DNA sequence: GATGAAAATATGTTACT
DNA sequence: AGTAACATATTTTCATC
């Protein structure tokens, strides 16, 4: 993979702010011709720097009035146990995202549910029913905010132009 | 806000999978003429059902080789304390997202950092230096997976067509 | 509301610097 | 690698159903 130069970082920062920016507008923002800009965006996608693009939705409008974070500890920490748990839980329609952590809790599962009864059913039917689960704690999510600016770090030599 | 009908849900599900889908392709997927489809997408944006669209980036390619989840407890739980903490922390370039929870921990902060030293500096300089912080626990994020399918629930009467 | 055709815009190629 | 020009495709408007 090629190192990212400053123009690449500008492209990424702009798309991070608004991924539906047209190529023409993006090119103007970063001071490139549209064709050159398009070429770079494609390269960033091919190189796997850009991994995809997802919609931020208003969960309440979809009928999910409660969001919760479910912390899970497993009884066994080998790879197979993890993978089987994640593969069973991730496809559930309530699951928004899933973190595998190194800490007291092995996993954090961010879910959206209709109401408290739905939350309880989800925890029983999808989480605690699994025999690899040793401990579960559920907390309401009052607020969830995603950064609208791309993480930016001091460049090291391998990234610099 | 108008209730979402089945076509709206199909549009959202398709865009959730790939927000860069062209309007033409989206229209074909949901069985509408491109113009009708565009009209609905605009309405969903205006109604705030679609809140935005963000890029999923390979953090390693940006030079962030470590991701961590920082759990924070505050000494005071009034609104002002929360807001001032969130407004101070959220703009930090390392912060990817921020959860306000009702539970033992008040906040979870998902961060991307260059290395362990950077993580330590971030925790000291941005989190523990603040006097409203009473407890901090940091865990490495080994894996972070976002659902690629839109949460779907049984429709209630207010959402049904 | 939805459609289809026309006008405006954007994309993607190619040749050139 | 970047630019400009061109052909193709898409978006968006609008009159109509």
């Amino acid at each position: 993979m090629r190192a990212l130069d400053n123009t690449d970082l500008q492209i990424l920062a702009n798309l991070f702010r608004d991924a539906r920016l047209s190529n023409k507008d993006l090119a103007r923002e970063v001071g490139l011709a549209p064709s050159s800009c398009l070429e770079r965006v494609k390269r960033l996608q091919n190189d796997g720097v850009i991994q995809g693009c997802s919609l931020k939705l208003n969960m309440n409008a979809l009928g999910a009035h409660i969001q919760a974070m479910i912390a899970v500890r497993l009884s066994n920490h080998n790879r197979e146990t993890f993978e089987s748990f994640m593969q069973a839980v991730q496809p559930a329609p309530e699951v928004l995202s899933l973190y595998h952590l190194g800490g007291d809790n092995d996993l954090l599962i961010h879910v959206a549910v209709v109401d408290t009864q739905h939350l309880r059913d989800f925890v029983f039917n999808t989480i605690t029913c699994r025999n690899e689960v040793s401990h579960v704690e559920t907390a309401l999510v009052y607020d969830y905010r995603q950064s609208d600016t791309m993480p930016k770090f001091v460049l090291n030599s391998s990234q610099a132009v």
Side-chain angles (χ1 to χ4, degrees), chain A:
Chain A
M1 192 198 295
R2 253 206 30 185
L4 302 176
D5 66 16
N6 201 51
T7 307
D8 291 323
L9 293 175
Q10 270 188 273
I11 288 173
L12 294 173
N14 274 278
L15 287 178
F16 194 84
R17 224 180 355 92
D18 178 13
R20 278 174 86 85
L21 211 57
S22 78
N23 183 61
K24 190 193 171 198
D25 290 342
L26 178 61
R28 190 164 32 75
E29 287 282 338
V30 303
L32 282 183
S35 54
S36 312
C37 185
L38 189 66
E39 199 172 76
R40 279 179 183 257
V41 172
K42 275 186 177 173
R43 200 189 62 224
L44 290 166
Q45 286 173 327
N46 281 331
D47 289 354
V49 179
I50 295 175
Q51 297 182 319
C53 173
S54 72
L55 222 54
K56 290 188 234 175
L57 294 180
N58 178 347
M59 289 300 154
N60 282 294
L62 296 179
H65 303 292
I66 292 179
Q67 290 180 43
M69 188 65 95
I70 305 173
V72 175
R73 295 181 203 175
L74 301 181
S75 51
N76 189 315
H77 294 79
N78 62 38
R79 184 183 292 271
E80 290 69 31
T81 306
F82 254 101
E83 281 304 323
S84 75
F85 182 83
M86 286 183 93
Q87 279 174 26
V89 172
Q90 199 184 349
E94 292 89 352
V95 172
L96 300 176
S97 63
L98 211 143
Y99 298 83
H100 175 191
L101 302 184
D104 290 343
N105 294 307
D106 298 308
L107 289 147
L108 288 174
I109 306 167
H110 182 193
V111 299
V113 291
V114 175
D115 51 26
T116 51
Q117 167 138 17
H118 184 188
L119 179 57
R120 184 181 175 230
D121 288 344
F122 174 81
V123 172
F124 281 147
N125 299 340
T126 310
I127 310 291
T128 57
C129 66
R130 297 189 65 84
N131 59 20
E132 66 264 45
V133 171
S134 79
H135 184 77
V136 175
E137 261 176 279
T138 302
L140 285 183
V141 174
Y142 291 130
D143 195 8
Y144 170 52
R145 298 191 200 170
Q146 282 180 276
S147 174
D148 52 3
T149 55
M150 184 176 74
K152 203 183 176 192
F153 312 107
V154 179
L155 293 176
N156 61 39
S157 57
S158 73
Q159 296 174 283
V161 184

